Amino acid sequence: PVGTELTAQFTDGEWYKATVVAVSKSDKRAKKPVKVHFLGYDESEDTWVGIDGLRSKLLKKEDPAGKAKAKTKAQPKAEKGAAAPAGTVPVGTELTAQFTDGEWYKAQVTKLRKGGKPVRVHYLGYGEDEDQWVALDQLRSKLLKAGAPAAAATKAPAKAQGWATFKEGQKVKADYYGTPYNAVVLQVSEAPKRAKKPIQVEYTGYDERAWLSADSIQASKSKPKSKAKPKKA
């Protein structure tokens, strides 16, 4: 029911704490009937999800492992000045780190811990909500013995191909489960978290919003003006 707190899967494939804000019985919403709000994030991040994108004791089909944990759980902090685990880099080191979209961005080490992903990084120029724990093979630094080849150029955060053709307020044709609908662009995001689906649209005539990739949107073409017919003498 609306108001239920649970764990929901975001478009990046990760699980976060969320609250149910709407449940739809519309045929159009059959595949993703539940709208959730991710706790600690803006309402613009609210999204419709399917039942398989939810984890809650109220659901009959529970997570097989029964141990789903929200990603917002606090992580142990590493004291500044403390010795870094073998093979890692000290807190405060600036380097290049790989994000979930597979691209590499300038970042800074903020915390350390033991385990498969021992280094937490902050992506320079982005919000703290984009911070994440990464493995050593997702880091590039001269301080790491097994560093990446120097020839591997650091890719600066850039808009994916096609982004530049869309602007806020632009009328477009946006895909919805394989069918194009009239829509309006609400915003275009450059956040790493939004790399795969950077454009948010609102479907015209519906109270529906969605984040889409550039190849799921087509710019609406304006009708050519009819040429004036020559007057007869």
Side-chain angles (χ1 to χ4, degrees):
V2 173
T4 300
E5 291 192 1
L6 36 64
T7 307
Q9 189 176 37
F10 190 62
T11 53
D12 62 357
E14 300 293 345
W15 295 80
Y16 301 84
K17 287 183 178 179
T19 301
V20 176
V21 294
V23 179
S24 174
K25 295 182 180 180
S26 169
D27 292 338
K28 184 179 178 181
R29 281 290 173 199
K31 293 184 178 180
K32 295 184 177 182
V34 183
K35 187 174 185 179
V36 298
H37 169 70
F38 294 96
L39 302 181
Y41 292 87
D42 189 76
E43 290 183 1
S44 64
E45 304 286 349
D46 293 3
T47 186
W48 290 90
V49 298
I51 300 301
D52 58 352
L54 301 173
R55 289 174 177 171
S56 171
K57 292 181 180 179
L58 297 178
L59 294 173
K60 293 181 179 179
K61 186 179 179 180
E62 195 171 352
D63 178 59
K67 298 180 180 180
K69 295 182 180 179
K71 197 179 180 181
T72 51
K73 184 177 179 181
Q75 302 288 357
K77 295 183 179 179
E79 294 293 333
K80 283 191 175 183
T88 60
V89 287
V91 170
T93 300
E94 291 191 3
L95 37 63
T96 307
Q98 188 178 39
F99 192 64
T100 53
D101 62 356
E103 302 294 348
W104 296 80
Y105 302 88
K106 290 183 178 180
Q108 185 176 42
V109 177
T110 58
K111 298 177 185 177
L112 299 171
R113 69 177 183 184
K114 295 180 179 179
K117 294 185 176 182
V119 183
R120 187 171 181 83
V121 296
H122 168 69
Y123 295 94
L124 301 180
Y126 295 91
E128 292 183 359
D129 59 318
E130 305 287 351
D131 295 3
Q132 65 173 349
W133 291 96
V134 296
L136 295 180
D137 59 2
Q138 292 176 285
L139 299 174
R140 289 175 179 169
S141 171
K142 292 181 180 179
L143 297 178
L144 293 172
K145 293 181 180 180
T154 300
K155 289 190 76 174
K159 289 185 176 182
Q161 186 177 5
W163 285 29
T165 60
F166 300 103
K167 299 179 180 179
E168 293 180 13
Q170 182 179 356
K171 293 183 179 180
V172 297
K173 288 283 187 180
D175 181 78
Y176 189 87
Y177 291 110
T179 303
Y181 287 85
N182 291 327
V184 176
V185 175
L186 296 181
Q187 60 177 308
V188 179
S189 174
E190 294 187 41
K193 183 178 179 181
R194 284 291 176 197
K196 293 183 179 180
K197 296 183 178 182
I199 306 167
Q200 186 185 40
V201 302
E202 181 173 46
Y203 295 96
T204 305
Y206 298 91
D207 184 23
E208 304 284 351
R209 297 182 178 185
W211 287 92
L212 302 173
S213 59
D215 57 6
S216 297
I217 303 173
Q218 294 180 351
S220 297
K221 297 180 180 179
S222 57
K223 295 181 179 179
K225 294 182 179 179
S226 57
K227 296 182 178 180
K229 294 182 179 179
K231 294 182 179 179
K232 291 183 178 180

